Amino acid sequence: MRKPEPSVVSSTGKNNKNNSMSNKLRKGLWSPEEDEKLMRYMLNNGQGCWSDVARNAGLERCGKSCRLRWINYLRPDLKRGAFSPQEEDLIIHFHSLLGNRWSQIAARLPGRTDNEIKNFWNSTIKKRLKVLSSSSSSTASPNASDSSSDQPNNKDFFTAAGGGGGFMNIIPPSMMPIYGDSSMQSTSLINHMFDPFPMVEHGGYYNNGNPCTAQIGSSVGSGADDCGFEENIEAFGNVNIGVEEDIFVPPLESVSTTDQDQNLKTETIFYDNNNYYSNSNNIIKGENMIGVGNYFEDDQDQGLTMGEWDLEDLMKDVSSFPFLDYQS
DNA sequence: AAATCAGTCAACCGCTGACTG
DNA sequence: TCAGTCAGCGGTTGACTGATT
């Protein structure tokens, strides 16, 4: 942990040493005292307007800074520690679908923040993919494995795949049921997979700050310890997300484009013990899986569209929901 | 032991879109 | 319709750290 370095700027965000003290806002690393203030305020009052949070919590920070600190570090439902291989696979997978939409990717990885995933991608995965792709067949399109564009590129992806090299070659084995199945060569399935923005309009479980759907128990360990919290968050269902536990992957829906696919309302991908399951194949529904597919509607006139969350329905089974306050 | 380098990560910056008066 | 405010997002920066020379 870096030492907090108290630099001060004016409320306009520009450095201004002539401002009066009351108008000065701190920048840089957060001190433990500041963390404690923010934490205590959030737990007692919940999330409101962030500029009010900053002011009322007695912090000489801008609201934006408070928001970021809360989301990326203090939020009790955060999972800490290194990314598991499963999470790594998922990040690669979702990045191939969503590109640099880090918040969308984070929405599908309970307990992880967009910042965390972004950093992990830029520092670790990107490099690894580069190394792997450079060692793969030279016949592959350079674009197919060039993550520098950081955007999904369906055409190049499949060009490379067809060429026997490129990105397809660097998909982890555990991803192959999704990435590498020969049946995926069909147009409809390709469209299925590579609808570039299947959930852009929909936040998934984490979007809009909705709390984690998982139960974070003591097995998670370090997270609770770091925060000084006893974490036991229960919402929508119980899913263990410790590194060694099964991972529930919030759904990635696809748009049907063919007659054959008209009956397919949603494709929901689950990850469990190194296997992926899709409800489109009726494979899924483990006990701990949440029946998210039921919450989407199929608008036949306009193609498949995302339905609204039926919040009331969802909340029926939720007896306690400690973080709802933050959304009020 | 000191200097240098590369990797990691927390935080900031600037932009965009939603909302409101 | 427009301007102001705010939340949220992705890109970027820079401090820190461990490895290497």
Side-chain angles (χ1 to χ4, degrees), chain A residues 266-281:
Chain A
T266 62
E267 180 174 4
T268 303
I269 299 169
F270 297 101
Y271 183 87
D272 180 24
N273 289 334
N274 292 321
N275 293 312
Y276 286 89
Y277 304 91
S278 165
N279 65 348
S280 64
N281 293 325

Side-chain angles (χ1 to χ4, degrees), chain A residues 15-234:
Chain A
N15 287 311
N16 186 351
K17 294 179 180 174
N18 295 326
N19 269 350
S20 68
M21 202 56 197
S22 63
N23 201 26
K24 287 178 180 175
L25 298 176
R26 284 172 59 92
K27 286 178 68 175
L29 296 179
W30 281 64
S31 68
E33 292 76 21
E34 289 178 303
D35 280 345
E36 192 190 339
K37 278 184 183 177
L38 179 57
M39 180 71 84
R40 192 183 304 130
Y41 181 87
M42 292 299 290
L43 292 177
N44 288 335
N45 302 282
Q47 178 185 318
C49 171
W50 282 107
S51 53
D52 291 342
V53 169
R55 194 167 41 245
N56 296 336
L59 292 163
E60 292 169 353
R61 297 268 182 178
C62 67
K64 202 171 178 176
S65 180
C66 293
R67 175 186 160 270
L68 216 59
R69 185 62 177 172
W70 175 255
I71 288 173
N72 288 335
Y73 190 79
L74 295 176
R75 215 174 56 187
D77 55 332
L78 283 181
K79 186 177 173 181
R80 292 170 189 273
F83 284 86
S84 68
Q86 290 90 347
E87 287 177 307
E88 205 175 309
D89 289 352
L90 287 169
I91 291 170
I92 294 170
H93 170 62
F94 288 133
H95 188 271
S96 75
L97 299 176
L98 299 166
N100 289 2
R101 291 179 177 78
W102 305 116
S103 63
Q104 293 289 312
I105 297 172
R108 294 167 174 81
L109 287 169
R112 299 297 188 182
T113 69
D114 55 351
N115 208 31
E116 198 176 8
I117 293 169
K118 180 173 60 180
N119 283 334
F120 182 61
W121 178 270
N122 287 330
S123 65
T124 305
I125 297 183
K126 205 169 172 179
K127 196 189 329 151
R128 196 175 305 165
L129 294 183
K130 200 172 180 178
V131 169
L132 285 169
S133 63
S134 68
S135 67
S136 66
S137 169
S138 59
T139 61
S141 161
N143 289 339
S145 57
D146 180 10
S147 57
S148 63
S149 70
D150 286 344
Q151 296 300 326
N153 189 329
N154 307 349
K155 183 169 176 282
D156 288 343
F157 181 96
F158 278 97
T159 300
F167 197 54
M168 194 64 98
N169 282 356
I170 58 178
I171 301 304
S174 59
M175 299 299 296
M176 293 314 284
I178 288 176
Y179 270 3
D181 191 303
S182 60
S183 66
M184 295 306 293
Q185 304 302 322
S186 77
T187 306
S188 69
L189 280 170
I190 290 172
N191 286 337
H192 253 331
M193 277 187 63
F194 291 105
D195 167 27
F197 315 113
M199 281 194 66
V200 167
E201 305 301 323
H202 191 283
Y205 286 47
Y206 251 104
N207 206 30
N208 300 325
N210 281 344
C212 180
T213 62
Q215 179 181 26
I216 303 173
S218 56
S219 63
V220 174
S222 61
D225 294 336
D226 289 347
C227 287
F229 282 109
E230 194 67 32
E231 296 174 339
N232 191 8
I233 304 161
E234 186 171 316

Side-chain angles (χ1 to χ4, degrees), chain A residues 286-306:
Chain A
E287 276 187 16
N288 288 335
M289 299 300 185
I290 299 164
V292 291
N294 297 334
Y295 291 97
F296 299 101
E297 296 169 347
D298 187 357
D299 183 338
Q300 296 292 339
D301 293 328
Q302 303 176 10
L304 188 62
T305 58
M306 292 299 112

